[in-house]
Coordinates of all heavy atoms in Angstrom, one line a residue:
D361 N 42.0 168.2 -103.8 CA 41.5 166.9 -104.4 C 40.1 167.0 -105.0 O 39.3 166.1 -104.9 CB 41.6 165.8 -103.3 CG 41.4 164.4 -103.9 OD1 41.8 164.2 -105.1 OD2 40.8 163.6 -103.3
G362 N 39.9 168.1 -105.6 CA 38.6 168.3 -106.3 C 37.4 168.7 -105.5 O 36.3 168.7 -105.9
M363 N 37.7 169.0 -104.2 CA 36.7 169.4 -103.3 C 36.6 171.0 -103.3 O 37.7 171.6 -103.4 CB 36.9 168.9 -101.9 CG 36.8 167.4 -101.7 SD 35.1 166.7 -102.0 CE 34.3 167.4 -100.6
W364 N 35.5 171.5 -103.1 CA 35.3 173.0 -102.9 C 34.3 173.4 -101.9 O 33.1 173.1 -102.1 CB 35.0 173.6 -104.3 CG 35.1 175.1 -104.3 CD1 34.1 176.1 -104.1 CD2 36.3 175.8 -104.6 NE1 34.7 177.3 -104.2 CE2 36.0 177.2 -104.5 CE3 37.6 175.5 -104.9 CZ2 37.0 178.2 -104.7 CZ3 38.6 176.5 -105.1 CH2 38.2 177.8 -105.0
Q365 N 34.8 173.9 -100.8 CA 33.9 174.3 -99.7 C 32.9 173.2 -99.3 O 31.7 173.5 -99.2 CB 33.2 175.6 -100.0 CG 34.2 176.8 -100.3 CD 33.6 178.1 -100.4 OE1 32.4 178.2 -100.8 NE2 34.3 179.2 -100.1
G366 N 33.4 172.0 -99.2 CA 32.6 170.9 -98.7 C 31.9 170.1 -99.8 O 31.2 169.1 -99.5
H367 N 32.0 170.5 -101.0 CA 31.3 169.8 -102.1 C 32.3 169.2 -103.1 O 33.3 169.9 -103.5 CB 30.3 170.8 -102.9 CG 29.3 171.4 -102.0 ND1 28.1 170.7 -101.6 CD2 29.2 172.6 -101.4 CE1 27.4 171.5 -100.8 NE2 28.0 172.6 -100.7
R368 N 32.0 168.0 -103.6 CA 32.9 167.5 -104.5 C 32.6 168.0 -105.9 O 31.5 167.8 -106.4 CB 32.8 165.9 -104.5 CG 33.7 165.2 -105.6 CD 34.1 163.8 -105.2 NE 35.1 163.8 -104.1 CZ 36.4 164.1 -104.2 NH1 36.8 164.6 -105.3 NH2 37.2 164.0 -103.1
V369 N 33.6 168.6 -106.5 CA 33.4 169.1 -107.9 C 34.0 168.2 -109.0 O 33.4 167.9 -110.0 CB 34.1 170.5 -108.0 CG1 34.0 171.0 -109.5 CG2 33.4 171.5 -107.1
L370 N 35.2 167.6 -108.7 CA 35.9 166.7 -109.6 C 35.7 165.3 -109.0 O 35.6 165.1 -107.8 CB 37.3 167.1 -109.7 CG 37.6 168.5 -110.2 CD1 39.1 168.8 -110.3 CD2 36.9 168.8 -111.5
P371 N 35.8 164.3 -109.9 CA 35.7 162.9 -109.4 C 36.8 162.6 -108.4 O 37.9 163.1 -108.4 CB 35.9 162.1 -110.7 CG 35.7 163.0 -111.8 CD 36.1 164.4 -111.4
E372 N 36.4 161.8 -107.4 CA 37.5 161.4 -106.4 C 38.7 160.7 -107.2 O 38.4 159.8 -108.1 CB 36.8 160.4 -105.5 CG 37.8 160.0 -104.3 CD 37.0 159.2 -103.2 OE1 35.8 159.0 -103.4 OE2 37.7 158.8 -102.2
G373 N 39.8 161.1 -106.9 CA 41.0 160.5 -107.5 C 41.5 161.2 -108.8 O 42.5 160.9 -109.3
W374 N 40.7 162.2 -109.2 CA 41.1 162.9 -110.5 C 42.4 163.6 -110.3 O 43.3 163.6 -111.2 CB 40.0 163.9 -110.9 CG 40.3 164.5 -112.2 CD1 40.8 165.7 -112.5 CD2 40.1 163.8 -113.5 NE1 40.9 165.9 -113.9 CE2 40.5 164.7 -114.5 CE3 39.6 162.5 -113.9 CZ2 40.4 164.4 -115.8 CZ3 39.5 162.3 -115.3 CH2 39.9 163.2 -116.2
A375 N 42.7 164.3 -109.2 CA 43.9 165.0 -109.0 C 45.1 164.0 -109.0 O 46.2 164.3 -109.5 CB 43.9 165.7 -107.6
T376 N 44.9 162.8 -108.5 CA 45.9 161.8 -108.6 C 46.2 161.3 -110.0 O 47.3 161.2 -110.5 CB 45.5 160.5 -107.8 OG1 45.4 160.9 -106.4 CG2 46.6 159.5 -107.8
F377 N 45.1 161.2 -110.8 CA 45.2 160.8 -112.2 C 46.0 161.8 -113.0 O 47.0 161.5 -113.7 CB 43.9 160.6 -112.9 CG 43.9 160.4 -114.4 CD1 44.3 159.2 -114.9 CD2 43.6 161.5 -115.2 CE1 44.4 159.1 -116.3 CE2 43.7 161.4 -116.6 CZ 44.1 160.2 -117.1
V378 N 45.7 163.1 -112.9 CA 46.4 164.1 -113.7 C 47.8 164.3 -113.3 O 48.7 164.8 -114.0 CB 45.6 165.4 -113.7 CG1 44.2 165.3 -114.3 CG2 45.6 166.1 -112.4
S379 N 48.1 164.0 -112.0 CA 49.5 164.3 -111.5 C 50.4 163.0 -111.5 O 51.5 163.1 -111.0 CB 49.4 164.8 -110.1 OG 48.8 163.9 -109.2
T380 N 49.9 161.9 -112.0 CA 50.7 160.7 -112.1 C 51.4 160.7 -113.6 O 50.7 160.9 -114.5 CB 49.8 159.5 -112.0 OG1 49.2 159.5 -110.6 CG2 50.6 158.2 -112.2
P381 N 52.7 160.4 -113.6 CA 53.3 160.4 -114.9 C 52.7 159.4 -115.9 O 52.4 158.3 -115.5 CB 54.8 160.0 -114.6 CG 55.0 160.4 -113.1 CD 53.6 160.2 -112.5
A382 N 52.5 159.9 -117.1 CA 51.9 159.1 -118.2 C 52.8 158.0 -118.6 O 54.1 158.2 -118.8 CB 51.5 160.0 -119.4
P383 N 52.4 156.7 -118.7 CA 53.3 155.6 -118.9 C 54.0 155.6 -120.2 O 55.1 155.1 -120.4 CB 52.4 154.4 -118.9 CG 50.9 155.0 -119.1 CD 51.0 156.3 -118.5
A384 N 53.5 156.3 -121.3 CA 54.2 156.3 -122.6 C 55.2 157.3 -122.8 O 56.0 157.3 -123.8 CB 53.1 156.4 -123.7
W385 N 55.3 158.3 -121.8 CA 56.4 159.2 -121.9 C 57.7 158.7 -121.4 O 57.7 158.0 -120.3 CB 56.0 160.5 -121.1 CG 55.0 161.4 -121.8 CD1 53.7 161.0 -122.1 CD2 55.2 162.7 -122.3 NE1 53.1 162.1 -122.8 CE2 54.0 163.1 -122.9 CE3 56.2 163.6 -122.3 CZ2 53.8 164.3 -123.5 CZ3 56.1 164.8 -122.9 CH2 54.9 165.1 -123.5
K386 N 58.7 159.0 -122.1 CA 60.1 158.4 -121.8 C 60.6 159.0 -120.5 O 61.3 158.3 -119.7 CB 61.1 158.6 -122.9 CG 60.7 158.1 -124.2 CD 60.5 156.6 -124.3 CE 60.3 156.1 -125.7 NZ 59.0 156.4 -126.2
R387 N 60.3 160.2 -120.1 CA 60.6 160.9 -118.9 C 59.4 161.2 -118.1 O 58.4 161.5 -118.7 CB 61.4 162.1 -119.2 CG 62.8 161.9 -119.9 CD 63.4 163.3 -120.4 NE 63.4 164.3 -119.4 CZ 63.0 165.6 -119.6 NH1 62.5 165.9 -120.8 NH2 63.0 166.4 -118.7
P388 N 59.5 161.2 -116.8 CA 58.3 161.4 -115.9 C 58.0 162.9 -115.8 O 58.0 163.5 -114.8 CB 58.7 160.8 -114.6 CG 60.2 161.1 -114.6 CD 60.7 160.9 -116.0
V389 N 57.6 163.5 -117.0 CA 57.3 165.0 -117.0 C 55.9 165.3 -117.3 O 55.5 166.6 -117.2 CB 58.3 165.7 -118.0 CG1 59.7 165.5 -117.4 CG2 58.1 165.2 -119.4
Y390 N 55.1 164.3 -117.8 CA 53.8 164.7 -118.2 C 52.7 163.7 -117.6 O 53.0 162.6 -117.4 CB 53.6 164.6 -119.8 CG 52.5 165.5 -120.2 CD1 52.6 166.9 -120.3 CD2 51.2 165.0 -120.6 CE1 51.6 167.8 -120.7 CE2 50.2 165.9 -121.0 CZ 50.4 167.2 -121.1 OH 49.4 168.1 -121.4
G391 N 51.5 164.3 -117.2 CA 50.5 163.5 -116.6 C 49.3 163.5 -117.4 O 49.3 163.0 -118.6
G392 N 48.2 164.0 -116.9 CA 46.9 164.1 -117.6 C 46.5 165.5 -117.9 O 45.8 166.1 -117.2
L393 N 47.1 166.0 -119.0 CA 47.1 167.4 -119.5 C 47.5 168.3 -118.4 O 47.1 169.5 -118.4 CB 45.6 167.7 -119.9 CG 45.1 166.9 -121.1 CD1 43.7 167.5 -121.6 CD2 46.1 167.0 -122.3
F394 N 48.3 167.9 -117.5 CA 49.1 168.6 -116.5 C 50.6 168.2 -116.7 O 50.8 167.0 -117.0 CB 48.7 168.5 -115.1 CG 47.5 169.2 -114.7 CD1 46.2 168.8 -115.0 CD2 47.7 170.4 -113.9 CE1 45.1 169.6 -114.5 CE2 46.6 171.1 -113.4 CZ 45.3 170.7 -113.7
W395 N 51.5 169.0 -116.5 CA 52.9 168.6 -116.4 C 53.2 168.2 -115.0 O 52.6 168.6 -114.1 CB 53.8 169.8 -116.8 CG 53.8 170.1 -118.3 CD1 52.9 170.9 -118.9 CD2 54.7 169.6 -119.3 NE1 53.1 170.9 -120.3 CE2 54.3 170.2 -120.5 CE3 55.9 168.8 -119.3 CZ2 54.9 169.9 -121.7 CZ3 56.5 168.6 -120.5 CH2 56.1 169.1 -121.7
V396 N 54.2 167.3 -114.8 CA 54.6 166.8 -113.5 C 56.0 167.0 -113.3 O 56.8 167.1 -114.3 CB 54.2 165.4 -113.3 CG1 52.7 165.2 -113.4 CG2 54.9 164.5 -114.3
N397 N 56.5 167.2 -112.1 CA 57.9 167.5 -111.7 C 58.6 166.2 -111.4 O 59.5 166.2 -110.6 CB 58.0 168.5 -110.6 CG 59.4 169.1 -110.4 OD1 60.0 169.5 -111.4 ND2 59.9 169.2 -109.2
G398 N 58.3 165.1 -112.1 CA 58.8 163.8 -111.8 C 60.3 163.7 -112.0 O 61.0 162.9 -111.3
D399 N 60.9 164.6 -112.8 CA 62.4 164.6 -113.0 C 63.1 165.5 -112.1 O 64.3 165.7 -112.2 CB 62.7 164.8 -114.5 CG 62.3 166.2 -115.0 OD1 61.5 166.9 -114.2 OD2 62.6 166.6 -116.1
G400 N 62.3 166.3 -111.3 CA 63.0 167.2 -110.4 C 63.6 168.4 -111.0 O 64.4 169.1 -110.5
A401 N 63.1 168.8 -112.2 CA 63.6 169.9 -112.9 C 63.4 171.3 -112.2 O 64.3 172.2 -112.3 CB 63.1 170.0 -114.3
R402 N 62.3 171.4 -111.5 CA 62.0 172.6 -110.7 C 62.4 172.3 -109.3 O 62.3 171.2 -108.8 CB 60.5 172.9 -110.8 CG 59.9 173.1 -112.2 CD 59.8 174.5 -112.6 NE 61.0 175.2 -113.0 CZ 61.4 175.1 -114.3 NH1 60.7 174.5 -115.2 NH2 62.5 175.7 -114.7
P403 N 62.8 173.4 -108.5 CA 63.3 173.2 -107.1 C 62.1 173.1 -106.1 O 62.0 173.8 -105.1 CB 64.0 174.5 -106.9 CG 63.3 175.6 -107.8 CD 62.9 174.8 -109.0
I404 N 61.2 172.1 -106.5 CA 60.1 171.8 -105.7 C 60.0 170.3 -105.6 O 60.6 169.6 -106.4 CB 58.8 172.4 -106.2 CG1 58.6 172.1 -107.7 CG2 58.8 174.0 -106.0 CD1 57.4 172.7 -108.4
P405 N 59.2 169.7 -104.7 CA 59.1 168.3 -104.6 C 58.7 167.6 -106.0 O 58.0 168.2 -106.8 CB 57.9 168.0 -103.6 CG 58.1 169.3 -102.8 CD 58.3 170.4 -103.7
T406 N 59.1 166.4 -106.2 CA 58.8 165.7 -107.4 C 57.3 165.3 -107.5 O 56.8 164.9 -108.6 CB 59.7 164.4 -107.6 OG1 59.4 163.6 -106.4 CG2 61.1 164.7 -107.7
T407 N 56.6 165.4 -106.4 CA 55.1 165.2 -106.5 C 54.4 166.4 -106.9 O 53.1 166.3 -107.1 CB 54.6 164.7 -105.1 OG1 55.1 165.7 -104.1 CG2 55.2 163.4 -104.7
A408 N 55.0 167.5 -107.1 CA 54.3 168.7 -107.6 C 54.0 168.6 -109.0 O 54.6 167.9 -109.8 CB 55.2 170.0 -107.4
Y409 N 52.9 169.2 -109.4 CA 52.4 169.2 -110.8 C 51.9 170.6 -111.2 O 51.6 171.4 -110.3 CB 51.4 168.1 -111.1 CG 50.2 168.2 -110.2 CD1 48.9 168.5 -110.8 CD2 50.2 167.8 -108.9 CE1 47.8 168.5 -110.1 CE2 49.0 167.8 -108.2 CZ 47.8 168.2 -108.8 OH 46.6 168.2 -108.0
F410 N 51.7 170.9 -112.5 CA 51.4 172.2 -112.9 C 50.8 172.3 -114.3 O 51.1 171.6 -115.1 CB 52.7 173.1 -112.8 CG 53.9 172.6 -113.5 CD1 54.3 173.0 -114.7 CD2 54.7 171.7 -112.8 CE1 55.4 172.5 -115.3 CE2 55.9 171.2 -113.4 CZ 56.2 171.6 -114.7
A411 N 49.9 173.3 -114.4 CA 49.5 173.8 -115.7 C 50.6 174.6 -116.2 O 51.2 175.5 -115.5 CB 48.2 174.6 -115.5
N412 N 50.9 174.5 -117.6 CA 52.1 175.1 -118.1 C 51.7 175.7 -119.5 O 51.2 175.0 -120.3 CB 53.1 173.9 -118.3 CG 54.4 174.4 -118.9 OD1 54.5 175.5 -119.5 ND2 55.4 173.5 -118.8
G413 N 52.0 177.0 -119.6 CA 51.7 177.7 -120.8 C 52.8 178.4 -121.4 O 53.8 178.8 -120.7
A414 N 52.9 178.5 -122.7 CA 53.9 179.2 -123.4 C 54.2 180.6 -122.8 O 53.2 181.3 -122.4 CB 53.7 179.3 -125.0
G415 N 55.4 181.0 -122.9 CA 55.7 182.4 -122.4 C 55.8 182.5 -120.9 O 55.9 183.6 -120.4

Side-chain angles (χ1 to χ4, degrees):
D361 191 33
M363 297 291 293
W364 193 264
Q365 298 188 337
H367 299 282
R368 176 155 291 286
V369 176
L370 306 181
E372 189 172 357
W374 186 260
T376 299
F377 170 77
V378 302
S379 61
T380 299
W385 283 66
K386 303 297 188 289
R387 293 166 53 225
V389 296
Y390 207 76
L393 298 186
F394 280 78
W395 290 81
V396 298
N397 194 43
D399 62 350
R402 303 258 83 87
I404 50 179
T406 56
T407 52
Y409 59 107
F410 49 98
N412 182 343

